[in-house]
């Protein structure tokens, strides 16, 4: 009988601390719903005291999620615990997650507290939180650089005061698999009341060992694993959920463990997080990268054709990657389209289906065949839709190596239409300047990336832009078989988000970083 481990997802908290990764409340809720479908055991929804937006996002997620516990992070301060509880109290399974640093370096230079003060804080705050909530997680920040003897005392105190989970973070990604194995083993041997609690680990990837360290801790007896989708997170990120889960699944023979995660939701969750944060997944990324299941070398292709297991240790279907067969064309009707969307595992509302079908018809008119990857890209584009402000009516772009690029853009805003012409350094620059003339304000283009959804000359291109206005950064995404149109749509998508206030204050993100970590 396999032992069960728990997956604690912190994409919405630690993941959101990665540079340039901030989401608004709707985006966070969308991700939380996907995490629930993925069947993670715990969703860490945010850090309630960090900002009003974080607090509201946690509260909204707590109300809507039923299948996973919802946790909120707090420092060892009663005002933090009050806010965390206020944010998660309506969850079906609420959890308060309290942390304080336990390494000498953090206590001396960041907290300016002695060991005795930290021990006292831990006992008091866990007891305080326990009055609100039965499920309390306690994290010893920078545990891997803490004096082990002190760490045992801290954990003993937290458990005695009511902590149901004790978390051992490798906050700065410093440890190695062997060392971490031995730390977890020693914690099990030296913390007298350890059997009353769950041991959790939380590994950062600064030296590229987050997943290896996590798996090593599992072998030493950790039963809750903290991770993020696509491994996003502070600095180099956290252990990637898809890697940890698929390693445990693929090597059941070695680990003898199972998780509740529905692995067939992995690919979809990864695409969603990448789309909403505007962070591309490297093609060679384990499990979810575009090349993860591609066999390029002739000798490999030959092997896979005669017997898949020669070079494939996992099946693409196990992460929800459908065969990219040609499915639909311009004569395909509504029923065929709806059935395909369901088959791909998406549960769209009627109006979302209608809008996606219109986009599909438009695409089918331009492309001979529409593949599953195309349809998934069309579905994903719903996450970046902001309706109601500016819509693109038409555009004309003139460019070449002997002329100055010129763009003429006509946009609709309610009953009004406006057209402007601008020149620029290349077609995109000209088009973006024309848009800015129409809306009467300009933005800083922080990032611009293009990739194709499928191969072939008529492939859809996806453009992701990040725009900045003062402290606000927004991500926009555009999809089209015409790369200039995709760029204009992405820019407009970001502009609409910016103007509709669907933004996240980068100031808040920075506050989280400097105040607390
Ligand atoms: O990395 C870390 O130490 C953390 C804690 C708050 C768990 O994110
Ligand atoms: Zn962390």
């Amino acid at each position: 009988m396999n032992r069960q481990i728990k997956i604690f997802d912190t994409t919405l908290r630690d993941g959101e601390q990665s540079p340039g990764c901030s989401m608004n409340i709707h985006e966070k809720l969308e991700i939380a719903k996907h995490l629930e479908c993925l069947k993670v055991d715990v969703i860490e929804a945010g850090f309630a005291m960090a900002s009003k937006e974080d607090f509201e996002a946690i509260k909204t997620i707590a109300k809507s999620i039923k299948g996973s516990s919802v946790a909120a992070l707090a420092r060892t301060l009663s005002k933090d615990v009050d806010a965390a509880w206020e944010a998660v109290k309506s969850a079906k399974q609420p959890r308060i997650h309290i942390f304080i640093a336990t390494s000498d370096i953090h206590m001396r230079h960041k907290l300016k507290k002695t060991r005795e003060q930290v021990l006292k804080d831990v006992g008091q705050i866990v007891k305080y939180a326990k009055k609100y909530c039965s499920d309390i997680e306690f994290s010893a920040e920078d545990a891997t650089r803490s004096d082990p003897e002190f760490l045992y005392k801290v954990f003993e105190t937290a458990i005695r005061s009511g902590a149901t989970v004790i978390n051992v973070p490798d906050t700065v990604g410093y440890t190695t698999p062997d060392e971490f194995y031995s730390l977890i083993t020693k914690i099990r041997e030296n913390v007298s009341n350890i059997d009353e609690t769950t041991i959790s680990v939380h590994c950062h990837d600064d030296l590229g060992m987050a997943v290896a360290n996590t798996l090593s801790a599992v072998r030493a007896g950790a039963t809750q694993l903290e991770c993020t989708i696509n491994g996003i997170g502070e600095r180099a990120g956290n252990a990637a959920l898809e890697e940890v889960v698929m390693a445990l699944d693929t090597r059941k023979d070695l680990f003898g463990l199972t998780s509740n995660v529905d692995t067939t939701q992995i690919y979809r969750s990864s695409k969603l997080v990448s789309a909403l944060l505007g962070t591309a997944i490297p093609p060679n990324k384990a499990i979810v990268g575009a090349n993860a299941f591609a066999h390029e070398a002739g000798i490999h292709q030959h092997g896979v054709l005669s017997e898949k297991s020669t070079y494939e240790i996992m099946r693409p279907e196990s992460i929800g990657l459908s065969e990219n067969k040609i499915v639909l064309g311009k004569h395909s009707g509504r029923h065929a389209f709806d059935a395909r969307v369901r088959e791909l595992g998406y549960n769209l509302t009627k109006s979302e289906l209608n809008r996606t079908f219109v986009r599909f018809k438009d695409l089918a008119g331009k492309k001979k065949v529409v593949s599953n990857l195309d349809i998934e890209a069309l579905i994903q584009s719903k996450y970046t839709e902001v309706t109601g402000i500016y819509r693109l009516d038409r555009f004309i772009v003139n460019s070449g190596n002997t002329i100055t690029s010129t763009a003429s853009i006509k946009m609709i805003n309610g009953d009004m239409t406006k057209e402007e012409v601008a020149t620029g350094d290349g077609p995109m620059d000209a088009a973006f300047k024309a848009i800015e003339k129409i809306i009467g304000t300009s933005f800083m283009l922080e990032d611009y990336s293009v990739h194709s959804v499928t191969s072939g000359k008529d492939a859809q291109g996806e453009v992701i832009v990040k725009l900045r206005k003062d402290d606000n950064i927004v991500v926009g995404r555009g999809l089209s078989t015409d790369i200039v149109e995709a760029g204009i749509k992405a820019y407009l998508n970001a502009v609409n988000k910016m103007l509709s206030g669907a933004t996240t204050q980068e100031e808040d993100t920075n506050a989280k970083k400097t105040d607390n970590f």
Side-chain angles (χ1 to χ4, degrees):
M1 171 76 173
N2 282 345
R3 263 193 313 140
Q4 184 85 15
I5 52 119
K6 295 208 156 133
I7 296 294
F8 175 114
D9 180 278
T10 182
T11 304
L12 295 171
R13 199 277 298 167
D14 210 319
E16 222 226 356
Q17 286 172 214
S18 27
C21 286
S22 35
M23 287 173 267
N24 64 42
I25 196 161
H26 312 289
E27 294 168 335
K28 286 186 179 176
L29 183 60
E30 195 67 46
I31 290 184
K33 286 185 185 158
H34 265 69
L35 293 171
E36 189 181 30
C37 285
L38 186 64
K39 297 196 170 61
V40 302
D41 299 280
V42 187
I43 298 172
E44 184 163 49
F47 182 11
M49 269 305 274
S51 70
K52 202 162 70 340
E53 289 80 8
D54 273 50
F55 177 84
E56 289 304 330
I58 303 169
K59 209 167 166 180
T60 308
I61 291 168
K63 278 193 192 136
S64 134
I65 298 299
K66 303 287 170 234
S68 313
S69 298
V70 178
L73 187 68
R75 293 167 294 187
T76 50
L77 301 172
S78 51
K79 63 174 183 184
D80 274 37
V81 170
D82 294 343
W85 176 243
E86 204 44 45
V88 292
K89 69 178 183 198
S90 52
K92 196 151 174 242
Q93 305 162 65
R95 173 180 292 186
I96 299 176
H97 178 191
I98 300 168
F99 77 99
I100 191 165
T102 53
S103 65
D104 287 336
I105 189 164
H106 275 230
M107 289 187 291
R108 187 174 315 129
H109 300 290
K110 188 181 76 169
L111 299 176
K112 309 212 185 317
K113 287 191 175 190
T114 62
R115 290 185 177 194
E116 290 65 38
Q117 281 170 315
V118 166
L119 258 185
K120 195 164 153 228
D121 284 0
V122 171
Q124 277 177 351
I125 202 71
V126 174
K127 277 190 198 133
Y128 180 80
K130 198 72 182 178
K131 285 194 292 186
Y132 287 134
C133 185
S134 59
D135 191 3
I136 306 289
E137 172 164 340
F138 170 76
S139 284
E141 193 190 6
D142 207 17
T144 51
R145 292 193 302 164
S146 303
D147 170 5
E149 294 299 327
F150 177 60
L151 194 61
Y152 308 148
K153 277 196 203 140
V154 171
F155 283 145
E156 236 160 44
T157 306
I159 299 167
R160 201 180 327 111
S161 310
T164 39
V165 179
I166 58 119
N167 184 34
V168 190
D170 182 27
T171 304
V172 289
Y174 179 72
T175 198
T176 64
D178 287 349
E179 189 185 63
F180 205 40
Y181 180 94
S182 132
L183 178 64
I184 303 299
T185 307
K186 286 200 209 124
I187 289 171
R188 291 183 69 193
E189 287 165 359
N190 291 289
V191 176
S192 61
N193 46 7
I194 197 74
D195 292 338
E196 297 164 31
T197 192
T198 296
I199 303 178
S200 168
V201 290
H202 173 112
C203 297
H204 279 270
D205 207 30
D206 300 66
L207 293 172
M209 289 187 279
V211 171
N213 289 336
T214 304
L215 295 173
S216 197
V218 164
R219 300 203 76 197
T223 52
Q224 175 181 285
L225 312 180
E226 303 202 352
C227 29
T228 58
I229 304 285
N230 298 338
I232 63 169
E234 186 81 38
R235 304 179 313 278
N238 289 66
L241 181 145
E242 61 280 6
E243 295 178 27
V244 169
V245 167
M246 289 313 289
L248 292 175
D249 190 66
T250 308
R251 297 307 312 272
K252 277 192 211 81
D253 58 321
L254 187 70
F255 292 103
L257 290 165
T258 47
S259 76
N260 288 325
V261 169
D262 175 359
T263 62
T264 64
Q265 296 291 330
I266 284 180
Y267 179 69
R268 224 158 284 139
S269 309
S270 160
K271 291 289 270 186
L272 175 70
V273 169
S274 156
L276 291 185
L277 290 174
T279 47
I281 302 167
N284 63 334
K285 164 84 180 64
I287 318 293
V288 290
N291 296 346
F293 291 94
H295 302 281
E296 191 67 29
I299 193 163
H300 288 201
Q301 285 174 354
H302 176 77
V304 169
L305 283 176
S306 44
E307 169 52 45
K308 285 194 160 75
S309 60
T310 47
Y311 285 99
E312 250 180 30
I313 56 164
M314 301 166 266
R315 303 303 326 279
E317 301 83 58
S318 64
I319 62 155
L321 198 59
S322 57
E323 226 182 293
N324 191 27
K325 61 184 181 205
I326 292 159
V327 282
L328 300 172
K330 69 175 174 191
H331 299 299
S332 305
R334 183 60 204 249
H335 284 304
F337 180 75
D338 291 3
R340 176 55 55 177
V341 168
R342 274 196 306 278
E343 231 178 285
L344 289 171
Y346 290 89
N347 199 358
L348 303 189
T349 63
K350 209 162 172 227
S351 70
E352 284 168 352
L353 251 178
N354 288 342
R355 288 203 299 275
T356 316
F357 184 64
V358 171
R359 286 199 287 261
F360 159 72
K361 277 300 203 191
D362 183 43
L363 179 64
K366 293 177 187 158
K367 266 188 106 180
K368 271 203 224 79
V369 287
V370 180
S371 69
N372 283 348
L373 283 177
D374 284 319
I375 294 175
E376 294 210 293
L378 291 178
I379 296 170
Q380 297 276 345
S381 65
K382 88 179 173 100
Y383 298 121
T384 47
E385 263 173 16
V386 178
T387 47
I389 307 179
Y390 288 104
R391 276 191 302 119
L392 177 67
D393 184 32
R394 66 163 193 224
F395 71 91
I396 300 163
V397 173
N398 242 321
S399 187
N401 61 353
T402 53
I403 56 166
T404 305
S405 296
T406 311
S408 159
I409 308 254
K410 190 168 172 192
M411 294 201 310
I412 304 172
N413 178 3
D415 301 335
M416 309 211 312
T417 53
K418 198 167 177 194
E419 188 158 19
E420 284 290 351
V421 179
T423 55
D425 186 9
M428 294 324 310
D429 188 42
F432 296 167
K433 282 186 174 140
I435 295 175
E436 288 178 351
K437 270 185 162 178
I438 294 174
I439 60 177
T441 181
S442 62
F443 303 99
M444 175 100 141
L445 182 62
E446 289 266 315
D447 201 11
Y448 174 90
S449 63
V450 187
H451 80 272
S452 78
V453 171
T454 50
S455 53
K457 282 191 193 139
D458 61 357
Q460 290 192 92
E462 183 185 55
V463 173
I464 295 172
V465 298
K466 278 191 188 167
L467 294 190
R468 173 193 278 274
K469 182 93 184 167
D470 304 324
D471 290 325
N472 292 340
I473 296 186
V474 292
V475 174
R477 193 163 163 265
L479 199 64
S480 172
T481 47
D482 175 336
I483 207 65
V484 175
E485 184 175 18
I488 293 172
K489 282 182 169 172
Y491 204 84
L492 258 183
N493 177 237
V495 163
N496 276 334
K497 276 187 176 181
M498 190 74 93
L499 298 179
S500 71
T503 58
T504 315
Q505 293 280 323
E506 208 201 19
E507 221 171 57
D508 291 334
T509 316
N510 287 336
K512 282 178 229 169
K513 286 175 186 166
T514 47
D515 288 1
N516 309 299
F517 301 104

PDB file of all heavy atoms in Angstrom, residues 13-14 17 44 73 97 99 139-142 167 169-172 202 204 226 238 517, ligand 1:
ATOM      1  N   ARG A  13       1.234  32.679  -3.774  1.00  0.00           N
ATOM      2  CA  ARG A  13       1.927  33.455  -2.744  1.00  0.00           C
ATOM      3  C   ARG A  13       3.413  33.572  -3.081  1.00  0.00           C
ATOM      4  O   ARG A  13       3.854  34.596  -3.569  1.00  0.00           O
ATOM      5  CB  ARG A  13       1.674  32.820  -1.365  1.00  0.00           C
ATOM      6  CG  ARG A  13       1.940  33.758  -0.201  1.00  0.00           C
ATOM      7  CD  ARG A  13       3.403  33.831   0.206  1.00  0.00           C
ATOM      8  NE  ARG A  13       3.912  32.546   0.663  1.00  0.00           N
ATOM      9  CZ  ARG A  13       5.210  32.312   0.819  1.00  0.00           C
ATOM     10  NH1 ARG A  13       6.113  33.252   0.585  1.00  0.00           N
ATOM     11  NH2 ARG A  13       5.634  31.115   1.211  1.00  0.00           N
ATOM     12  N   ASP A  14       4.173  32.494  -2.934  1.00  0.00           N
ATOM     13  CA  ASP A  14       5.607  32.585  -3.235  1.00  0.00           C
ATOM     14  C   ASP A  14       5.794  32.800  -4.736  1.00  0.00           C
ATOM     15  O   ASP A  14       6.647  33.579  -5.170  1.00  0.00           O
ATOM     16  CB  ASP A  14       6.314  31.292  -2.793  1.00  0.00           C
ATOM     17  CG  ASP A  14       7.749  31.539  -2.377  1.00  0.00           C
ATOM     18  OD1 ASP A  14       8.423  32.320  -3.064  1.00  0.00           O
ATOM     19  OD2 ASP A  14       8.202  30.961  -1.378  1.00  0.00           O
ATOM     20  N   GLN A  17       5.690  36.185  -5.900  1.00  0.00           N
ATOM     21  CA  GLN A  17       6.825  37.028  -5.522  1.00  0.00           C
ATOM     22  C   GLN A  17       7.932  37.021  -6.569  1.00  0.00           C
ATOM     23  O   GLN A  17       8.944  37.681  -6.391  1.00  0.00           O
ATOM     24  CB  GLN A  17       7.391  36.534  -4.189  1.00  0.00           C
ATOM     25  CG  GLN A  17       6.505  36.891  -3.015  1.00  0.00           C
ATOM     26  CD  GLN A  17       6.954  36.242  -1.721  1.00  0.00           C
ATOM     27  OE1 GLN A  17       6.135  35.880  -0.885  1.00  0.00           O
ATOM     28  NE2 GLN A  17       8.246  36.111  -1.536  1.00  0.00           N
ATOM     29  N   GLU A  44      -2.013  27.915  -1.091  1.00  0.00           N
ATOM     30  CA  GLU A  44      -1.632  29.107  -0.315  1.00  0.00           C
ATOM     31  C   GLU A  44      -2.034  30.314  -1.175  1.00  0.00           C
ATOM     32  O   GLU A  44      -1.441  30.569  -2.227  1.00  0.00           O
ATOM     33  CB  GLU A  44      -0.144  29.140   0.002  1.00  0.00           C
ATOM     34  CG  GLU A  44       0.188  30.330   0.895  1.00  0.00           C
ATOM     35  CD  GLU A  44       1.551  30.207   1.578  1.00  0.00           C
ATOM     36  OE1 GLU A  44       2.551  29.915   0.895  1.00  0.00           O
ATOM     37  OE2 GLU A  44       1.606  30.413   2.794  1.00  0.00           O
ATOM     38  N   LEU A  73      -0.683  33.409   4.601  1.00  0.00           N
ATOM     39  CA  LEU A  73       0.588  33.556   5.309  1.00  0.00           C
ATOM     40  C   LEU A  73       0.536  34.712   6.318  1.00  0.00           C
ATOM     41  O   LEU A  73      -0.135  35.722   6.079  1.00  0.00           O
ATOM     42  CB  LEU A  73       1.704  33.817   4.282  1.00  0.00           C
ATOM     43  CG  LEU A  73       3.128  33.829   4.808  1.00  0.00           C
ATOM     44  CD1 LEU A  73       3.562  32.447   5.268  1.00  0.00           C
ATOM     45  CD2 LEU A  73       4.109  34.325   3.738  1.00  0.00           C
ATOM     46  N   HIS A  97      -0.849  30.086   8.109  1.00  0.00           N
ATOM     47  CA  HIS A  97       0.553  29.684   7.945  1.00  0.00           C
ATOM     48  C   HIS A  97       1.433  30.795   8.526  1.00  0.00           C
ATOM     49  O   HIS A  97       1.482  31.902   7.999  1.00  0.00           O
ATOM     50  CB  HIS A  97       0.829  29.503   6.435  1.00  0.00           C
ATOM     51  CG  HIS A  97       2.256  29.146   6.116  1.00  0.00           C
ATOM     52  ND1 HIS A  97       2.747  29.150   4.840  1.00  0.00           N
ATOM     53  CD2 HIS A  97       3.300  28.776   6.909  1.00  0.00           C
ATOM     54  CE1 HIS A  97       4.023  28.796   4.845  1.00  0.00           C
ATOM     55  NE2 HIS A  97       4.382  28.580   6.096  1.00  0.00           N
ATOM     56  N   PHE A  99       5.159  32.229   9.896  1.00  0.00           N
ATOM     57  CA  PHE A  99       6.598  31.978   9.719  1.00  0.00           C
ATOM     58  C   PHE A  99       7.426  32.994  10.492  1.00  0.00           C
ATOM     59  O   PHE A  99       7.006  34.135  10.726  1.00  0.00           O
ATOM     60  CB  PHE A  99       6.989  32.017   8.229  1.00  0.00           C
ATOM     61  CG  PHE A  99       7.082  33.405   7.667  1.00  0.00           C
ATOM     62  CD1 PHE A  99       8.314  34.046   7.521  1.00  0.00           C
ATOM     63  CD2 PHE A  99       5.936  34.093   7.287  1.00  0.00           C
ATOM     64  CE1 PHE A  99       8.398  35.332   7.002  1.00  0.00           C
ATOM     65  CE2 PHE A  99       6.006  35.382   6.775  1.00  0.00           C
ATOM     66  CZ  PHE A  99       7.234  35.999   6.632  1.00  0.00           C
ATOM     67  N   SER A 139       6.369  27.720   9.853  1.00  0.00           N
ATOM     68  CA  SER A 139       7.588  27.624   9.043  1.00  0.00           C
ATOM     69  C   SER A 139       8.755  28.307   9.729  1.00  0.00           C
ATOM     70  O   SER A 139       8.633  29.461  10.169  1.00  0.00           O
ATOM     71  CB  SER A 139       7.396  28.347   7.703  1.00  0.00           C
ATOM     72  OG  SER A 139       6.610  27.588   6.848  1.00  0.00           O
ATOM     73  N   ALA A 140       9.895  27.620   9.756  1.00  0.00           N
ATOM     74  CA  ALA A 140      11.124  28.213  10.300  1.00  0.00           C
ATOM     75  C   ALA A 140      11.925  28.719   9.096  1.00  0.00           C
ATOM     76  O   ALA A 140      12.663  27.946   8.471  1.00  0.00           O
ATOM     77  CB  ALA A 140      11.910  27.165  11.065  1.00  0.00           C
ATOM     78  N   GLU A 141      11.745  29.989   8.794  1.00  0.00           N
ATOM     79  CA  GLU A 141      12.405  30.533   7.604  1.00  0.00           C
ATOM     80  C   GLU A 141      13.927  30.373   7.706  1.00  0.00           C
ATOM     81  O   GLU A 141      14.499  30.525   8.780  1.00  0.00           O
ATOM     82  CB  GLU A 141      12.042  32.021   7.458  1.00  0.00           C
ATOM     83  CG  GLU A 141      12.422  32.574   6.104  1.00  0.00           C
ATOM     84  CD  GLU A 141      12.298  34.095   6.028  1.00  0.00           C
ATOM     85  OE1 GLU A 141      12.023  34.742   7.063  1.00  0.00           O
ATOM     86  OE2 GLU A 141      12.500  34.625   4.936  1.00  0.00           O
ATOM     87  N   ASP A 142      14.550  30.044   6.599  1.00  0.00           N
ATOM     88  CA  ASP A 142      15.994  29.816   6.522  1.00  0.00           C
ATOM     89  C   ASP A 142      16.426  28.642   7.411  1.00  0.00           C
ATOM     90  O   ASP A 142      17.535  28.637   7.970  1.00  0.00           O
ATOM     91  CB  ASP A 142      16.768  31.097   6.885  1.00  0.00           C
ATOM     92  CG  ASP A 142      18.151  31.144   6.221  1.00  0.00           C
ATOM     93  OD1 ASP A 142      18.378  30.384   5.256  1.00  0.00           O
ATOM     94  OD2 ASP A 142      19.003  31.924   6.677  1.00  0.00           O
ATOM     95  N   ASN A 167       7.008  23.273   8.842  1.00  0.00           N
ATOM     96  CA  ASN A 167       7.602  23.373   7.505  1.00  0.00           C
ATOM     97  C   ASN A 167       9.087  23.712   7.616  1.00  0.00           C
ATOM     98  O   ASN A 167       9.479  24.562   8.409  1.00  0.00           O
ATOM     99  CB  ASN A 167       6.855  24.456   6.722  1.00  0.00           C
ATOM    100  CG  ASN A 167       7.341  24.568   5.293  1.00  0.00           C
ATOM    101  OD1 ASN A 167       7.726  23.580   4.676  1.00  0.00           O
ATOM    102  ND2 ASN A 167       7.342  25.782   4.768  1.00  0.00           N
ATOM    103  N   PRO A 169      11.799  25.206   5.455  1.00  0.00           N
ATOM    104  CA  PRO A 169      12.130  25.842   4.188  1.00  0.00           C
ATOM    105  C   PRO A 169      13.632  25.936   3.937  1.00  0.00           C
ATOM    106  O   PRO A 169      14.406  26.223   4.848  1.00  0.00           O
ATOM    107  CB  PRO A 169      11.558  27.264   4.324  1.00  0.00           C
ATOM    108  CG  PRO A 169      10.798  27.295   5.597  1.00  0.00           C
ATOM    109  CD  PRO A 169      11.357  26.198   6.457  1.00  0.00           C
ATOM    110  N   ASP A 170      14.001  25.675   2.696  1.00  0.00           N
ATOM    111  CA  ASP A 170      15.360  25.983   2.253  1.00  0.00           C
ATOM    112  C   ASP A 170      15.219  27.320   1.521  1.00  0.00           C
ATOM    113  O   ASP A 170      15.234  27.399   0.297  1.00  0.00           O
ATOM    114  CB  ASP A 170      15.882  24.881   1.319  1.00  0.00           C
ATOM    115  CG  ASP A 170      17.324  25.155   0.870  1.00  0.00           C
ATOM    116  OD1 ASP A 170      18.052  25.821   1.619  1.00  0.00           O
ATOM    117  OD2 ASP A 170      17.696  24.712  -0.232  1.00  0.00           O
ATOM    118  N   THR A 171      15.082  28.372   2.321  1.00  0.00           N
ATOM    119  CA  THR A 171      14.673  29.687   1.831  1.00  0.00           C
ATOM    120  C   THR A 171      15.574  30.242   0.742  1.00  0.00           C
ATOM    121  O   THR A 171      15.115  30.899  -0.184  1.00  0.00           O
ATOM    122  CB  THR A 171      14.631  30.657   3.039  1.00  0.00           C
ATOM    123  OG1 THR A 171      13.753  30.086   4.003  1.00  0.00           O
ATOM    124  CG2 THR A 171      14.163  32.038   2.673  1.00  0.00           C
ATOM    125  N   VAL A 172      16.879  30.004   0.877  1.00  0.00           N
ATOM    126  CA  VAL A 172      17.797  30.598  -0.095  1.00  0.00           C
ATOM    127  C   VAL A 172      18.366  29.553  -1.062  1.00  0.00           C
ATOM    128  O   VAL A 172      19.342  29.806  -1.767  1.00  0.00           O
ATOM    129  CB  VAL A 172      18.939  31.383   0.602  1.00  0.00           C
ATOM    130  CG1 VAL A 172      18.396  32.656   1.220  1.00  0.00           C
ATOM    131  CG2 VAL A 172      19.626  30.536   1.673  1.00  0.00           C
ATOM    132  N   HIS A 202       9.927  23.056   1.821  1.00  0.00           N
ATOM    133  CA  HIS A 202       9.683  24.187   0.915  1.00  0.00           C
ATOM    134  C   HIS A 202      11.050  24.586   0.361  1.00  0.00           C
ATOM    135  O   HIS A 202      11.852  25.194   1.062  1.00  0.00           O
ATOM    136  CB  HIS A 202       9.052  25.308   1.757  1.00  0.00           C
ATOM    137  CG  HIS A 202       8.867  26.610   1.064  1.00  0.00           C
ATOM    138  ND1 HIS A 202       7.612  27.115   0.754  1.00  0.00           N
ATOM    139  CD2 HIS A 202       9.752  27.557   0.630  1.00  0.00           C
ATOM    140  CE1 HIS A 202       7.741  28.295   0.171  1.00  0.00           C
ATOM    141  NE2 HIS A 202       9.037  28.588   0.093  1.00  0.00           N
ATOM    142  N   HIS A 204      13.765  26.260  -2.407  1.00  0.00           N
ATOM    143  CA  HIS A 204      14.013  27.234  -3.485  1.00  0.00           C
ATOM    144  C   HIS A 204      15.107  26.706  -4.400  1.00  0.00           C
ATOM    145  O   HIS A 204      15.897  25.833  -4.026  1.00  0.00           O
ATOM    146  CB  HIS A 204      14.337  28.605  -2.893  1.00  0.00           C
ATOM    147  CG  HIS A 204      13.078  29.338  -2.498  1.00  0.00           C
ATOM    148  ND1 HIS A 204      12.416  30.167  -3.363  1.00  0.00           N
ATOM    149  CD2 HIS A 204      12.347  29.306  -1.361  1.00  0.00           C
ATOM    150  CE1 HIS A 204      11.320  30.641  -2.755  1.00  0.00           C
ATOM    151  NE2 HIS A 204      11.262  30.131  -1.544  1.00  0.00           N
ATOM    152  N   GLU A 226       5.921  21.499  -0.670  1.00  0.00           N
ATOM    153  CA  GLU A 226       5.458  22.807  -1.141  1.00  0.00           C
ATOM    154  C   GLU A 226       6.085  23.085  -2.507  1.00  0.00           C
ATOM    155  O   GLU A 226       7.291  22.900  -2.700  1.00  0.00           O
ATOM    156  CB  GLU A 226       5.837  23.892  -0.124  1.00  0.00           C
ATOM    157  CG  GLU A 226       5.247  23.553   1.243  1.00  0.00           C
ATOM    158  CD  GLU A 226       5.084  24.728   2.202  1.00  0.00           C
ATOM    159  OE1 GLU A 226       5.558  25.839   1.887  1.00  0.00           O
ATOM    160  OE2 GLU A 226       4.485  24.516   3.255  1.00  0.00           O
ATOM    161  N   ASN A 238      10.739  28.175  -6.992  1.00  0.00           N
ATOM    162  CA  ASN A 238      10.502  27.087  -6.036  1.00  0.00           C
ATOM    163  C   ASN A 238      10.584  25.742  -6.764  1.00  0.00           C
ATOM    164  O   ASN A 238      10.698  25.703  -7.977  1.00  0.00           O
ATOM    165  CB  ASN A 238       9.080  27.227  -5.458  1.00  0.00           C
ATOM    166  CG  ASN A 238       8.937  28.409  -4.528  1.00  0.00           C
ATOM    167  OD1 ASN A 238       9.041  29.543  -4.947  1.00  0.00           O
ATOM    168  ND2 ASN A 238       8.702  28.148  -3.268  1.00  0.00           N
ATOM    169  N   PHE A 517      10.875  39.427   3.535  1.00  0.00           N
ATOM    170  CA  PHE A 517      11.743  38.317   3.135  1.00  0.00           C
ATOM    171  C   PHE A 517      13.169  38.767   2.914  1.00  0.00           C
ATOM    172  O   PHE A 517      13.418  39.761   2.336  1.00  0.00           O
ATOM    173  CB  PHE A 517      11.207  37.659   1.857  1.00  0.00           C
ATOM    174  CG  PHE A 517       9.831  37.147   2.043  1.00  0.00           C
ATOM    175  CD1 PHE A 517       8.754  37.816   1.531  1.00  0.00           C
ATOM    176  CD2 PHE A 517       9.611  36.024   2.820  1.00  0.00           C
ATOM    177  CE1 PHE A 517       7.482  37.349   1.740  1.00  0.00           C
ATOM    178  CE2 PHE A 517       8.331  35.552   3.027  1.00  0.00           C
ATOM    179  CZ  PHE A 517       7.250  36.221   2.489  1.00  0.00           C
TER     180      PHE A 517
HETATM  181  O1  LIG B   1      11.097  30.568   1.442  1.00  0.00           O
HETATM  182  C1  LIG B   1      10.569  30.667   2.556  1.00  0.00           C
HETATM  183  O2  LIG B   1      11.193  30.543   3.613  1.00  0.00           O
HETATM  184  C2  LIG B   1       9.140  30.980   2.587  1.00  0.00           C
HETATM  185  C3  LIG B   1       8.458  30.832   3.909  1.00  0.00           C
HETATM  186  C4  LIG B   1       7.544  31.956   4.182  1.00  0.00           C
HETATM  187  C5  LIG B   1       7.766  29.508   3.962  1.00  0.00           C
HETATM  188  O3  LIG B   1       8.544  31.251   1.570  1.00  0.00           O
END
